Amino acid sequence: MTRTHTPWPTGVIARYLTVAGSSLSRDDIAVDITCTQTAREKGRNDQEVGDITLVAHCSGCSDRDETTYEGLYLALVGTVLESFYGDHTREWAQTHAQTCRAIPKPA
């Protein structure tokens, strides 16, 4: 079977292939993680303080997990998904992808 390679949607920072996606050789049936940073104010030393929202969304069954961390110094967080703040979202995405067999309804 030929594997279908699709470009990641804009804003996706990580992708976990689901059981269905793997079985069908379709990398678009996956759990995608996006990260949004929203600056709210200036903190000490004029650094931006804001919120980080991580969303894991399954394209197979449409299940999702969303976590927001408020009041962070955005410049100090670094690579969010690799930090403590990404632990929950990474674990949810991996666990969900390992068990999801759903296939999205054709358009």
Side-chain angles (χ1 to χ4, degrees), residues 13-89:
I13 60 173
R15 175 171 269 187
Y16 293 81
L17 192 61
T18 65
V19 173
S22 180
S23 297
L24 297 172
S25 295
R26 287 188 49 192
D27 63 359
D28 62 323
I29 304 176
V31 178
D32 290 335
I33 298 177
T34 57
C35 176
T36 305
Q37 294 187 8
T38 307
R40 292 190 292 156
E41 60 193 46
K42 296 285 184 174
R44 289 181 293 161
N45 299 325
D46 211 31
Q47 292 182 333
E48 288 187 324
V49 175
D51 307 331
I52 293 176
T53 300
L54 291 167
V55 177
H57 177 260
C58 180
S59 62
C61 70
S62 295
D63 200 1
R64 62 185 276 136
D65 179 76
E66 182 173 326
T67 306
T68 299
Y69 300 96
E70 299 177 343
L72 302 175
Y73 281 94
L74 299 178
L76 301 178
V77 174
T79 306
V80 176
L81 200 58
E82 295 173 3
S83 72
F84 157 81
Y85 298 106
D87 287 351
H88 169 79
T89 304

Side-chain angles (χ1 to χ4, degrees), residues 88-105:
H88 169 79
T89 304
R90 277 194 322 272
E91 290 170 10
W92 186 93
Q94 180 68 44
T95 300
H96 184 83
Q98 288 175 330
T99 59
C100 186
R101 290 173 165 69
I103 301 169
K105 182 179 177 181

